Amino acid sequence: MLGNMLEQASEYGDPLPRYTPPRCLLERQAVGGCDACHATCPHGAIVLGPLGQSVSIDPARCTGCGLCVQVCPSGALEYDLMAPLQSVRDARQDAGGVASLTCSQSGAGGPSLTCLGRVTPAVVAAAGAWGTPLTLVHGECSACPVGAPDVPERVRRVVEEAQALRAPTGQPTQVTVRRATSEDHNLGLKLSRRGAFAALFRAGRQQVAQALPERPLPFVDWSQPQQRVPEEWRWRAAALRPVPAPDAAVHWPAPLVDDTCIDCPVCANVCPTEAITREFKPEGGVMLLLNLAACTGCMACVRSCPPDAMHPQAEWLPAAFQAPILLRDSGSVM
């Protein structure tokens, strides 16, 4: 049993985010590329390749703040979401239905993250789907050696993105972003009788985990289509609960195609999750399909389209998530 506990124990992510090259817009050679992670990193830990077509992370500089993950438009950089999601879900029983995630530098108690830079829209949206109020507690960010001075503002933008996703459900997340106070050292200690034993077990498991080296996330097996979609976007789709009304507008930026399309393969080639696919018809021609749930909204296809035939659409009906969308049905192939 102890062996299983040690095997399963882990902290809230790894020191370095997992990098999946096929999802990177630089590796995909999308027009305009992307330097969001490099520009965002407050510690100069993100290094772009000599030709600007690859990304590497300097482990000596990376603090694990997660800010690069927050801004990555395609999920090429990511941390494991399961630990913060489990903490939020457990809080429904353990803390009277109120969840908290705190910055490790804040001095606050309760489940902590290296930095609130690791909070993503999926975590906030999931709290709303579970009907669990969420408090995000940060420390003094102006001189923090881990994150950046504007972390609170970045987190508020994450919350806004999550609330836009949750709007059609009619159940926004009850979320508060605030600085830690002197009373927050006991945050998260309020337990129901039902949750006390489970919380004690988890606390012991986390203490064991903190004494172990952090393990990197496993590499994505690109041969498995379900692994091509980042965990962040899988959870965003799962967080659309309660199910929106059939005529509700779901905020999920994705591309459309107009009649100026020349049926070239560029959009499918640059798509970082292969949400856009081309299917050749037996009688000739090609169908261009979009798996909306797999689309991260990076718009690499829009920027790379040679005839500018692709355009972003911000909102979709819920039915669009149920089956591939036919973007174009052509009788010719370039």
Side-chain angles (χ1 to χ4, degrees):
M1 179 177 178
L2 179 59
N4 290 335
M5 287 178 57
L6 294 174
E7 176 65 25
Q8 294 174 9
S10 63
E11 277 197 79
Y12 289 99
D14 302 310
L16 303 182
R18 175 171 63 184
Y19 175 58
T20 304
R23 293 194 195 131
C24 181
L25 302 189
L26 294 179
E27 298 269 356
R28 286 282 182 174
Q29 300 184 19
V31 170
C34 179
D35 68 347
C37 57
H38 174 75
T40 296
C41 181
H43 308 292
I46 305 291
V47 181
L48 303 184
L51 299 179
Q53 295 182 350
S54 63
V55 167
S56 61
I57 305 172
D58 183 347
R61 291 178 175 268
C62 180
T63 63
C65 67
L67 294 174
C68 59
V69 173
Q70 275 189 351
V71 301
C72 181
S74 61
L77 294 167
E78 58 186 337
Y79 282 111
D80 186 7
L81 294 178
M82 295 312 299
L85 285 168
Q86 189 64 52
S87 291
V88 173
R89 192 165 189 173
D90 289 344
R92 290 186 299 176
Q93 295 179 350
D94 295 348
V98 178
S100 67
L101 292 172
T102 69
C103 165
S104 65
Q105 303 297 300
S106 67
S112 72
L113 301 170
T114 304
C115 172
L116 290 192
R118 291 201 183 191
V119 175
T120 66
V123 174
V124 178
W130 294 324
T132 304
L134 176 62
T135 299
L136 302 172
V137 181
H138 61 84
E140 173 52 64
C141 298
S142 61
C144 178
V146 176
D150 63 343
V151 163
E153 180 57 33
R154 292 173 187 244
V155 173
R156 291 186 180 95
R157 291 198 294 267
V158 166
V159 170
E160 290 175 1
E161 188 174 354
Q163 298 291 38
L165 176 62
R166 290 213 50 76
T169 70
Q171 183 177 298
T173 302
Q174 299 178 51
V175 58
T176 301
V177 181
R178 64 171 176 81
R179 184 172 172 178
T181 67
S182 58
E183 290 77 28
D184 284 332
H185 64 280
N186 289 326
L187 196 64
L189 293 183
K190 179 183 176 182
L191 303 176
S192 65
R193 290 185 178 181
R194 182 179 179 183
F197 179 78
L200 182 62
F201 178 81
R202 282 193 301 276
R205 184 174 61 186
Q206 289 175 7
Q207 288 181 357
V208 172
Q210 290 168 1
L212 297 175
E214 291 182 302
R215 297 179 303 176
L217 289 171
F219 287 107
V220 171
D221 183 353
W222 203 256
S223 67
Q224 301 298 318
Q226 67 273 17
Q227 292 194 32
R228 297 171 192 168
V229 183
E231 186 180 31
E232 169 71 18
W233 276 267
R234 292 201 299 268
W235 272 100
R236 290 189 193 189
L240 283 171
R241 300 289 186 275
V243 177
D247 59 349
V250 177
H251 183 76
W252 195 285
L256 283 176
V257 179
D258 65 30
D259 291 337
T260 63
C261 175
I262 58 176
D263 301 311
C264 74
V266 169
C267 58
N269 289 344
V270 301
C271 182
T273 58
E274 299 188 5
I276 297 177
T277 55
R278 301 168 80 234
E279 292 190 6
F280 294 96
K281 301 186 294 185
E283 66 275 16
V286 64
M287 294 188 300
L288 193 65
L289 302 171
L290 169 68
N291 178 359
L292 185 61
C295 178
T296 68
C298 70
M299 299 303 161
C301 55
V302 173
R303 297 195 305 273
S304 302
C305 180
D308 292 327
M310 306 196 81
H311 312 280
Q313 176 168 298
E315 296 179 336
W316 302 77
L317 295 178
F321 291 86
Q322 304 306 313
I325 299 169
L326 181 63
L327 294 177
R328 180 171 170 81
D329 190 347
S330 172
S332 63
V333 179
M334 182 177 179

